[in-house]
């Protein structure tokens, strides 16, 4: 196991009706003028936004609001939010929504206390200051409620890029599984795929002897394999929703990746798809991740056998381990298909002729991207080609 530092300072408040305590936690963490940031309307329609406002009013905390965050959030609204926060002297931001809303709120939090263009942070400039942030989560997916990351798309060139800092970790995150019961099945499945992908990005490691994190990863994956079909079948299954919501946090606050090298190439390869086609991130991952697996599995066949046997219940073929590894990947793709995810370019709405442009935008050039297996532009092109034609 490698040396590591693990920092997850967020106070998680989990369970039914907990959104009504938002005001209490804003007060606890020193907020007196709040920006409520939300998305395209689901939080308004469900009455959640009103409940959050009421809880702030109850604590005597004044607030302004900015809605309209799109999935794959854009820089335009971030600039608007920064202006609003400066004009209104906002000292705390509360994100009511999913990864897109939270990521937009994080960008506003850092941009408000910065003299330059907030996009600098998405081009590598270190974040030195950020407004404190709280979350009321409405979809189990991105894990932004526990992570220090934010992913934003710049309209000019449709560049989708990430920024990261412990300063972007939420002070508190309210996780009420009931809030996810209004999700369309497709969004639930996209979220489940993203959660599994966050674990796999950490599971496929070159670090040896990491039993504890291997087993934690497998626990999250097994939970997702069990609970996702249950919520697709019965969207009101609170306990299954609860397990998935906590799995989404555990998958991405860093816990299951400590002390081991990680990959993240599937995420980078996917981000070009959601930037170009504006598809859901989880749907893009369903197309890319099994294809990435098929391309790299020979780098460490036994690790793929471990996934196949422990997570997908495959029988180990000791004479020919590659058979087991490939069977595990096949079962992963079939699982994604069974929960309604696209598994190839056509189902996603992507075009094979765009592959050279996708590879170009990823920007590897003549070099290589590090990870479980280092990838050149040619490798990425080959992965997109597998993804284009994948079937179950
Ligand atoms: O905008 P509204 O009306 O709220 O609708 C949203 C949106 O259309 C809807 N929705 C959310 N909660 C709902 C609901 N509809 C009904 N009932 C509810 N309770 O779901 C749609 C998707 O929401 P979004 O926030 O986009 O989903 P997700 O949480 O998957 O976030 C995706 C974004 O997060 C980024 C992705 O790249 C993508 O931009 N990621 C962020 C990460 C991070 N910050 O750590 C890591 C991830 O790997 C990921 O890259
Ligand atoms: Zn993701």
């Amino acid at each position: 196991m490698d040396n590591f530092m693990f920092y997850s300072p967020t106070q998680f408040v989990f369970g039914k009706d907990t959104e009504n305590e938002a005001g209490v936690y804003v007060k606890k963490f020193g907020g007196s003028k709040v920006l409520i940031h939300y998305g395209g309307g689901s939080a308004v329609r469900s009455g959640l936004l009103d409940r959050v406002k009421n809880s702030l009013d109850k604590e005597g905390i004044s607030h302004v609001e900015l809605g309209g965050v799109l999935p794959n959030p854009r820089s335009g609204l971030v600039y608007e939010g920064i202006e609003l926060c400066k004009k209104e002297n906002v000292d705390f931001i509360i994100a009511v929504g999913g990864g897109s809303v939270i990521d937009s709120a994080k960008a506003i939090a850092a941009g408000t206390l910065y003299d330059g263009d907030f996009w600098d942070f998405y081009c590598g400039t270190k974040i030195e200051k950020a407004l404190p942030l709280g979350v009321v989560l409405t979809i189990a997916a991105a894990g932004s409620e526990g992570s220090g990351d934010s992913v934003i798309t710049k309209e000019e060139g449709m560049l989708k890029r990430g920024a990261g800092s412990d300063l972007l970790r939420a002070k508190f995150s309210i996780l009420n599984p009931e809030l996810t019961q209004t999700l369309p099945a497709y969004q639930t499945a996209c979220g489940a795929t993203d959660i599994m992908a966050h674990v796999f990005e950490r599971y496929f490691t070159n670090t040896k002897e990491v039993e504890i994190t291997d087993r934690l990863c497998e626990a999250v994956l097994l939970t997702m394999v069990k609970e996702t079909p249950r919520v697709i079948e019965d969207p009101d299954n609170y306990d299954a929703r609860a397990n998935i919501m906590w799995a989404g946090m555990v998958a991405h606050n860093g816990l299951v990746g400590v002390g081991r090298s990680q990959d993240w190439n599937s995420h980078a390869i996917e981000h070009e798809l959601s930037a170009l086609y504006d598809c859901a991130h989880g749907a893009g991952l369903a197309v890319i991740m099994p294809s990435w697996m098929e391309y790299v599995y020979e780098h460490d066949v036994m690790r793929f056998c471990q996934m196949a046997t422990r997570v997908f219940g495959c029988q180990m073929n000791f004479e020919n381990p590659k058979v087991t590894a490939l069977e595990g990947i096949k079962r992963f793709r079939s699982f994604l298909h069974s929960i309604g995810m696209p598994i190839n370019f056509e189902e996603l709405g992507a075009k094979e002729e765009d592959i050279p442009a996708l590879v170009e935008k990823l920007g590897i050039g003549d070099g290589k991207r590090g990870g479980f297996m280092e990838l050149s532009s040619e490798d990425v092109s080959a992965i997109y080609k597998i993804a284009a034609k994948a079937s179950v």
Side-chain angles (χ1 to χ4, degrees), residues 45-295:
R45 286 191 298 278
S46 66
L48 172 62
L49 203 69
D50 283 339
R51 294 203 292 283
V52 171
K53 284 189 208 167
N54 288 342
S55 80
L56 293 171
D57 292 340
K58 222 167 113 192
E59 300 300 323
I61 298 165
S62 65
H63 45 87
V64 289
E65 62 185 79
L66 180 64
V69 181
L70 298 173
N72 302 316
R74 309 294 154 84
S75 55
L77 197 69
V78 173
Y79 290 115
E80 224 180 285
I82 292 169
E83 281 314 303
L84 185 61
C85 285
K86 286 182 176 167
K87 183 167 145 255
E88 298 285 343
N89 291 316
V90 163
D91 60 12
F92 199 100
I93 302 179
I94 183 158
V96 182
S100 295
V101 173
I102 304 168
D103 287 3
S104 182
K106 287 175 173 176
I108 295 169
T112 300
L113 301 186
Y114 182 60
D115 287 336
D117 182 346
F118 92 90
W119 188 252
D120 293 347
F121 300 132
Y122 295 76
C123 302
T125 300
K126 191 169 180 248
I127 296 171
E128 304 282 358
K129 282 184 280 184
L131 288 175
L133 174 96
V135 168
V136 179
L137 186 67
T138 63
I139 170 172
S144 191
E145 68 277 14
S147 82
D149 304 323
S150 162
V151 184
I152 300 290
T153 300
K154 191 180 174 71
E155 283 94 335
E156 200 188 332
M158 291 307 274
L159 286 177
K160 188 171 185 180
R161 296 289 179 264
S165 167
D166 281 334
L167 293 166
L168 297 183
R169 289 181 188 270
K171 296 287 176 206
F172 68 86
S173 282
I174 289 177
L175 276 53
N176 175 358
E178 283 179 321
L179 300 179
T180 67
Q181 289 174 1
T182 52
L183 278 166
Y186 185 77
Q187 287 296 344
T188 296
C190 287
T193 306
D194 196 17
I195 292 168
M196 293 181 78
H198 292 161
V199 177
F200 281 133
E201 297 281 20
R202 295 166 165 103
Y203 193 69
F204 292 104
T205 181
N206 294 314
T207 312
K208 303 290 175 212
E209 303 283 349
V210 281
E211 185 70 4
I212 174 68
T213 37
D214 271 4
R215 294 291 185 177
L216 287 170
C217 284
E218 287 155 7
V220 178
L221 292 166
L222 285 164
T223 299
M224 296 309 296
V225 169
K226 176 175 177 229
E227 301 292 41
T228 309
R230 291 176 82 204
V231 292
I232 300 288
E233 183 147 312
D234 175 11
D236 295 332
N237 186 328
Y238 177 85
D239 291 315
R241 290 269 184 204
N243 281 304
I244 290 175
M245 199 167 215
W246 192 238
M249 203 301 293
V250 172
H252 201 44
N253 78 332
L255 178 69
V256 301
V258 295
R260 53 201 285 149
S261 70
Q262 303 181 14
D263 188 59
W264 296 100
N265 278 324
S266 293
H267 264 70
I269 295 169
E270 186 296 309
H271 279 165
E272 297 309 332
L273 292 177
S274 45
L276 188 63
Y277 305 111
D278 205 14
C279 58
H281 169 61
L285 285 167
V287 174
I288 293 299
M289 193 154 238
S291 306
W292 169 86
M293 289 178 174
E294 276 173 6
Y295 190 74

